[in-house]
Amino acid sequence: MNPSSGETQRLRRADQAHLWHPFTPMGEWAAADPVVVASGEREFLIDTDGNRYIDGVSSLWCNLHGHRRREIDEAIRRQLDRIAHSTLLGSASPPSIELAERLVAMAPKGLTRVFYSDSGATAVEIALKMAFQYWRQCPRPQPAKTRFVSLMLGYHGDTLGAASVGGIDLFHGLHRPLLFEAIHAPAPYCYRCSLGVRPGDCGMACAARLEEILKTRGHEVAAVILEPLVQGAGGMIVHPAGYLRRVAQACRAHGVLLICDEVATGFGRTGRMFACEHEDVGPDLLCLAKGISGGYLPLAATLATEEIYGAFLGDYAEYRTFFHGHTYTGNALACAAGIASLDIFRHERVLDRVGELAEMLGRCLAPLAEMPHVGQVRQRGLMVGIELVADRRTRQAYPAAERRGWKVCLAARRYGVWIRPLGDVVVLMPPYCISEASVARLVEAVQESIAEVTQR
Ligand SMILES: *Cc1c(COP(=O)(O)O)cnc(C)c1O
């Protein structure tokens, strides 16, 4: 580790004086000696003192092909020589058109329309409002369908609508009085089943609960929203196989729309382009963000079926329009980055590479599952959660105030690894360009750090 230079110390002081960081207890930020990232290269972050760190969580789950990918850099520069931004409110632009065409061609069947915005939270807000408005304007309107069903421990972003369908009390509890009331179904979290049944011989009781909700209250439900296959922010909760398909079937059976939030799982993370593909599910609305621009620029999209889109057509005076938009909707630089990212998928067989890396990562992680304070190692593709526990036998958690997960990530820094936990779940989500040597180093650093923080 290089020592902090005077310039780094000056930057840290200025940061502490003026910045307010997201999801960050600012009272102790001064003591955290934050890494000040000056540049990046492939899977590495390089700080202002020249230290290199493996970017173990892809810059908060969004980087796909590494930092400073030549093809994406050049696509943005080429677009910059034309125009950086023009509005989609009343005009069109080549990059937004071309990316929409490409997204529709690769998305699950039936999704034909692309509504752009700029973050995962806005993509979710838009899906919720579309679903709500659809039931008022569809050929046989059902205006009583105003409610949303979502999962406990679900996460869909931090704006008020997205938080309303969120199920993480620490994040969403305080603001409940400002939120609309969603109907929460149990999370398919087998390690800590809230229904108290034994996974494997429970007949997927959590899915049955959701089916029951739709059976009894379907007439007032506009849509079910969930993160397919893996609930990310809830703790990398990997769903049992078949859960998503059962939910999709129940939605169909009871006339309820299905919104899949693939903000985290989309664009190859789980080994397929979209997680829904694993279970042959075609949602009515699909939310995309994070990886959509390769992790370069803020961009998001909500994809809808032709049937939903059709409900918004009509004479102007009928006011069926979707009155929603954001200033930077469909930003040209971000869309150019998105197109370049999809070109890399096409030219470099990226999904095959994700599969190989996931297998290797799984092999490296196997010894961690045996550590005395690791309760469970969960993995789907290149999404990993390592749940730390005080007691393996009883699955007793550590007192939250001990911040073991955070301490593990802090320790990992000394091994040249930058990661960020979810409570006591240590998260690994490397970019797809990571070398095999870096995968091995990443896991070794995490193993050492866990040992340090839980055994010594
Ligand atoms: C990160 C995330 C969001 C929110 O995305 P932002 O761009 O941070 O608003 C929504 N849904 C899921 C599943 C996410 O992981």
Side-chain angles (χ1 to χ4, degrees), residues 259-276:
I259 304 172
C260 282
D261 176 354
E262 294 232 24
V263 169
T265 54
F267 298 100
R269 264 297 147 198
T270 65
R272 305 283 291 267
M273 193 51 99
F274 300 109
C276 311

Side-chain angles (χ1 to χ4, degrees), residues 80 82 167 191 239 330 362 387 434:
L80 198 49
R82 299 188 182 112
Y191 184 67
H239 294 175
E387 182 163 341
I434 191 170

Side-chain angles (χ1 to χ4, degrees), residues 133-193:
Q133 197 172 336
Y134 167 78
W135 289 113
R136 317 203 135 221
Q137 300 179 178
C138 63
R140 275 185 302 165
Q142 298 187 53
K145 288 167 92 60
T146 59
R147 322 257 338 232
F148 292 89
V149 174
S150 60
L151 299 187
M152 295 301 303
L153 297 174
Y155 178 80
H156 302 287
D158 297 322
T159 53
L160 294 177
S164 296
V165 289
I168 303 175
D169 257 355
L170 178 66
F171 300 171
H172 307 129
L174 181 72
H175 298 105
R176 281 279 170 231
L178 295 180
L179 310 180
F180 67 76
E181 204 181 316
I183 304 168
H184 281 99
Y189 185 9
C190 296
Y191 184 67
R192 298 189 185 280
C193 178

Side-chain angles (χ1 to χ4, degrees), residues 61 119-122 124 155-157 227 261 263-264 289-290:
W61 316 358
S119 73
T122 55
V124 167
Y155 178 80
H156 302 287
E227 299 157 84
D261 176 354
V263 169
K290 290 198 170 106

